[in-house]
Amino acid sequence: MAIIDVRHFAKSFSGKAIHKDVTFTVEEGECVGLVGGSGIGKSVVLRSLIGLEKSDSGEIWIDGQEISKLSERDLVEVRKKVAYVFQNGALFDSMSVYDNLAYPLREHTPLKEAQIRERIREQLDEFGLIEAIDKLPAQLSGGMQKRVGLARAMMIGPKVILYDEPTAGLDPYNTIKIQELVLRLKKKGVTSVFVTHDMPTALNVCDRFCLLANGRVMDEATVEEVKLNKGGKIEQFIAGEVGG
Amino acid sequence: MKSSRTEFLKTFGGFAILTKQVAVEMMRPPLYPRLVIDQMYQVGLQSLPLVFVTAGATGMVMALQFGLGLEKFGGKLYIPKIVSLSIVREMAPVFCSLMLAARVGAGITSEIGSMTVTQQIDAIRALGTSPIKKIVIPRVLACVIAIPLLTTAANFVGILGGLLVGKNDLGLDPVFYVQKVLQTVTIADFLSGFAKTPVFAFVIAINACYFGLTAKGGTQGVGNATTKSVVTSSITILVGDYFLSKFFWIFEQWL
Ligand SMILES: Nc1ncnc2c1ncn2[C@@H]1O[C@H](COP(=O)(O)OP(=O)(O)OP(=O)(O)O)[C@@H](O)[C@H]1O
Ligand SMILES: [Mg+2]
């Protein structure tokens, strides 16, 4: 069974239907790119996958559990398995990078502070951020903030990662850095959903694409099909022939 | 007209829901005493200078005004009595709460509002923790504990302000002043002012958190939320003070 299974998801905001019938699945270990025009509701779908947004109707199955009707308290277990990488990192700006990374460990693991320090050093090393350990988020560049956000999301070893435009507004160096990190996590078997407008990156990291339009998944295509120009609507979207 | 009414109902409903969530989550572990202490420092200690100036100035002005008014009738000797009673029963709790609604309320709303619009509140949830526990409860508890203590300190400072003016400008003997105050102010007087403050503190904190959590639309949204928070708290305190005073008045009669 697919690790993410969204069935007939619908959502409207103050009477305006954003999603009418969104249905798609993501298999374990797969990276699915969710593409579509600006304001089409990609972030809303992604947020709903960990219950940050409540659906109006439909079902959302995560790792065999229907989560769309769970309470905030029951969602905690889901959120330990599914990490969310926010567009601008969403780091806690009153805390140092160290404390930001320690946050999930202190909350969800019985680790001692010495072990936490160990884990954080390893993680920052891997992410090439070790020199930022004692800095405040405001002292970091946007690209570094995004990478720290990704590092924080990874601290307790989630099975699924949801990326909301992880490369938007980044220079080529940071874009490649993020790309490498995503690929490395993918190699470890982490499942991901990748929302982006950055098609070159998406073509490098995603296995499959879903095109959101008119409140539903309009089309799906594998990365091979897209590369071989057989991507149908997705192909047209990437070529800039259809807007959102 | 209709939209402002729905707005009002929505806000009021929002307070009620937030209050309920606070009550429910307060009963469940984990609680974060460290965060409460941090906030007590922010709300309490950091507000001391403001509270002292407010209370001191109030006591001094009252002594001066009553002194000028009563001197004509030879009523200067009533000044300790009038000043201390009005400070303890009314002025200290209400003025301090109003000033704190501005200082503490604005601080809380703008801080939480910025966290909301930069998705830090979403991040708290996404990391499997509760913003009610992490953000709201520490601030509510800190206010409900610190503001009554601040008011108690304000009582002393206000009475002291009156004493200074009484001695320097009106020629009252400080010893006489203190004796009169001690004879006049009863526990019931103190309590009738003091007991209002946890209510005001709760109003300030819940308002401030609510408007912060519901802030939308970037920096301007945070500014709007902060204004609404201070205005709503101040009005609630002023109107609520009438009803609480009346309630305590009936209660004292009944005793
Ligand atoms: N909390 C909310 N309240 C009201 N409307 C909302 C809310 N969240 C999203 N929307 C609306 O839903 C629509 C989709 O928003 P969403 O952020 O998901 O778009 P998106 O596809 O991620 O766009 P972008 O590529 O620009 O990030 C937008 O029109 C937005 O105004
Ligand atoms: Mg978005």
Side-chain angles (χ1 to χ4, degrees), chain A:
Chain A
M1 186 187 174
I3 191 161
I4 299 176
D5 188 349
V6 178
R7 299 177 192 165
H8 312 296
F9 169 77
K11 175 79 185 170
S12 53
F13 287 106
S14 39
K16 187 167 161 258
I18 301 291
H19 294 301
K20 293 166 199 147
D21 185 356
V22 174
T23 300
F24 67 95
T25 59
V26 181
E27 298 298 328
E28 195 152 359
E30 201 183 16
C31 176
V32 169
L34 207 53
V35 295
S38 268
I40 213 77
K42 302 179 295 295
S43 301
V44 170
V45 170
L46 212 56
R47 290 165 59 79
S48 305
L49 294 180
I50 52 165
L52 289 178
E53 212 81 69
K54 288 272 169 270
S55 62
D56 296 342
S57 64
E59 294 174 5
I60 296 174
W61 290 79
I62 303 286
D63 204 10
Q65 189 185 13
E66 213 282 305
I67 65 132
S68 63
K69 273 128 210 125
L70 292 185
S71 69
E72 242 349 71
R73 213 153 83 95
D74 294 328
L75 281 168
V76 170
E77 289 310 313
V78 178
R79 289 168 181 170
K80 286 191 206 166
K81 286 190 285 197
V82 184
Y84 194 106
V85 180
F86 288 91
Q87 181 152 357
N88 291 309
L91 301 178
F92 303 128
D93 52 19
S94 60
M95 299 180 190
S96 68
V97 168
Y98 177 84
D99 285 325
N100 264 285
L101 296 203
Y103 184 99
L105 294 177
R106 288 176 184 149
E107 291 300 329
H108 298 303
T109 68
L111 295 182
K112 298 271 183 322
E113 198 60 33
Q115 295 163 299
I116 289 180
R117 182 157 283 273
E118 182 89 349
R119 275 281 288 118
I120 291 175
R121 288 194 151 278
E122 278 169 23
Q123 186 85 341
L124 287 176
D125 250 341
E126 187 179 341
F127 280 64
L129 290 162
I130 196 72
E131 75 281 8
I133 188 163
D134 290 317
K135 294 210 170 113
L136 286 171
Q139 298 169 303
L140 305 178
S141 71
M144 282 174 101
Q145 288 186 14
K146 284 196 180 195
R147 273 148 63 199
V148 176
L150 181 52
R152 181 179 67 183
M154 287 311 301
M155 285 313 289
I156 54 171
K159 293 171 89 166
V160 181
I161 309 188
L162 312 174
Y163 298 94
D164 196 353
E165 311 207 12
T167 58
L170 293 186
D171 59 30
Y173 173 81
N174 276 296
T175 304
I176 288 170
K177 278 276 168 216
I178 295 265
Q179 214 175 95
E180 283 171 8
L181 291 169
V182 174
L183 285 173
R184 201 176 312 155
L185 295 171
K186 199 174 142 189
K187 215 169 272 164
K188 288 184 187 168
V190 180
T191 309
S192 28
V193 181
F194 202 88
V195 166
T196 191
H197 293 296
D198 170 7
M199 293 321 295
T201 304
L203 287 170
N204 280 337
V205 300
C206 298
D207 304 310
R208 194 153 61 84
F209 292 97
C210 292
L211 175 69
L212 273 178
N214 301 326
R216 42 179 59 83
V217 175
M218 283 288 277
D219 202 5
E220 291 189 37
T222 63
V223 68
E224 288 79 18
E225 287 170 336
V226 174
K227 281 180 178 161
L228 293 170
N229 297 332
K230 289 187 200 149
K233 291 224 169 56
I234 291 184
E235 187 61 41
Q236 292 170 1
F237 174 79
I238 294 171
E241 287 161 13
V242 288

